[in-house]
Amino acid sequence: MTGRRDLTDSEWERLTPLLPVSNGRCGRWRDHRQVINGVLHRVRTGVQWRDLPERFGPWKTVHKRHVQWSADGTWERLLQQVQAVADAEGAIDWDISVDSTVMRAHQHAAGARTAPPRVLKGGAAVVEHQIDPAWEGPGRPPGGGGAAGEGLGRSRGGFTTKVHLSADGRCRSLSLLVTSGQRADCTQFEPVMEKIRVPRTGSGRPRRRPDSVSADKAYSNRRTRAYLRKRGIRHVIPEKADQAANRVKRGSHGGRPPGFDKERYKKRNVVERAINKLKGFRGVATRYDKRGHVFLGTVTFAAIIIWLRS
């Protein structure tokens, strides 16, 4: 029995060939479709894992599968493979936009253990910590506990976490990154761009460079513009008023104003609409996961569903 919000047969047919296959050494996996529908129900509604309906099987099985696939990067690989299929069909608009959004963290998201996540069975270790590395002090293991180490922080919105993302011209996430809520957007621009990696369905290197990038004034700085020029990526980023004033004040030494295409900048709203789609999942709009890599897996899973249904 399936629910009206579960994966449809057509969506499941697209996803099935991309799913990992059990090696049989640790027993058989429970039916992928039942478990993934359970994860979808939880991410969509924000319900506690213990309150999953019985039709999804034991809640511990669903929870463990989600945690494991978040830790070993399976969700991220699935997202890339879904993107690869879309790119092969010419269904990706490579005029992308970059932005970030703040999610309020529930009080249950705090209190992760100080010890780093354990190594998973089968030799799959937790992926190298990508969440707020500036907070890791000397001798602190990647992925260690503590609010800062798990992408949690204090901002104007209170106890928050921030998701940085790039979106294609059809409002779908290409890359995702999680930091604490007070982190500046511009500090994560390069990591977000570096995470764009769409494999080829045939031979060839993955596509990593978009046709153009647009971003708001939060990303207006020399380092960002130099990075994009070095990679040969056309970009549209408005100049801040104080930067323009300082440039004019310096006269000929201030250089020329950066180019700005108003028509291209109008397409920047695609990243705002991509954020709205992600926040349509209540498990994303409010963070309940204690571990940063698990919440990244939650957001990535929501992005996979959006790609399947776009």
Side-chain angles (χ1 to χ4, degrees):
M1 182 180 67
T2 59
R4 65 186 182 92
R5 295 295 183 91
D6 293 347
L7 291 174
T8 64
D9 291 339
S10 61
E11 293 165 356
W12 180 246
E13 289 176 2
R14 295 175 59 191
L15 186 62
T16 301
L18 310 177
L19 293 172
V21 179
S22 174
N23 55 20
R25 290 181 299 176
C26 301
R28 295 182 178 179
W29 281 347
R30 195 173 187 88
D31 179 57
H32 274 324
R33 187 168 187 176
Q34 183 186 34
V35 173
I36 291 176
N37 279 330
V39 176
L40 174 57
H41 181 84
R42 187 264 175 178
V43 174
R44 181 176 61 82
T45 63
V47 69
Q48 292 187 4
W49 289 105
R50 293 175 180 271
D51 295 330
L52 280 177
E54 294 182 359
R55 62 188 177 89
F56 299 121
W59 70 268
K60 288 186 177 180
T61 301
V62 182
H63 173 256
K64 183 178 180 181
R65 185 82 58 87
H66 177 59
V67 171
Q68 178 176 345
W69 284 9
S70 297
D72 63 14
T74 298
W75 289 132
E76 292 191 78
R77 287 193 293 271
L78 284 175
L79 176 60
Q80 292 175 353
Q81 292 167 1
V82 170
Q83 293 169 349
V85 174
D87 190 40
E89 298 171 352
I92 296 182
D93 183 348
W94 283 97
D95 289 328
I96 73 168
S97 299
V98 176
D99 206 349
S100 70
T101 183
V102 172
M103 278 77 165
R104 185 62 184 260
H106 194 272
Q107 59 183 359
H108 293 167
R113 296 180 179 179
T114 56
R118 63 184 179 84
V119 175
L120 301 176
K121 293 182 179 179
V126 174
V127 293
E128 185 177 353
H129 202 51
Q130 302 176 24
I131 303 170
D132 224 353
W135 287 94
E136 295 174 5
R140 182 176 182 179
E150 296 299 341
L152 294 166
R154 298 285 177 179
S155 66
R156 292 182 179 181
F159 191 43
T160 54
T161 188
K162 183 178 282 190
V163 175
H164 307 259
L165 73 154
S166 63
D168 79 332
R170 299 185 180 181
C171 312
R172 299 169 299 188
S173 303
L174 286 172
S175 60
L176 297 157
L177 192 69
V178 173
T179 67
S180 52
Q182 74 274 13
R183 292 287 283 177
D185 293 356
C186 60
T187 62
Q188 304 303 314
F189 180 81
E190 293 181 28
V192 167
M193 292 294 296
E194 293 295 331
K195 285 195 71 175
I196 298 176
R197 184 182 183 277
V198 179
R200 311 284 185 178
T201 54
S203 59
R205 296 180 179 179
R207 177 160 184 176
R208 305 178 65 94
R209 189 175 68 176
D211 294 333
S212 66
V213 176
S214 64
D216 59 21
K217 291 183 179 180
Y219 299 91
S220 177
N221 57 68
R222 292 183 178 179
R223 178 171 178 172
T224 297
R225 298 182 192 277
Y227 169 81
L228 291 171
R229 284 196 299 269
K230 182 179 180 180
R231 294 190 59 186
I233 301 174
R234 294 184 293 112
H235 57 278
V236 180
I237 303 175
E239 189 178 24
K240 293 181 179 179
D242 60 336
Q243 293 174 347
N246 290 334
R247 175 175 51 77
V248 172
K249 183 179 180 180
R250 296 182 63 188
S252 60
H253 297 287
R256 294 177 297 177
F260 184 75
D261 185 346
K262 291 184 179 180
E263 293 302 317
R264 171 64 182 90
Y265 190 68
K266 290 179 181 179
K267 294 181 64 176
R268 197 192 67 82
N269 66 82
V270 297
V271 69
E272 306 289 353
R273 290 151 62 191
I275 290 171
N276 287 339
K277 288 185 177 183
L278 287 173
K279 287 191 173 182
F281 295 82
R282 297 193 176 193
V284 174
T286 301
R287 173 177 170 174
Y288 299 100
D289 302 307
K290 292 182 183 296
R291 291 292 186 187
H293 68 272
V294 177
F295 181 64
L296 178 60
T298 298
V299 181
T300 304
F301 177 82
I304 293 172
I305 301 301
I306 291 172
W307 275 89
L308 291 175
R309 293 179 173 176
S310 61

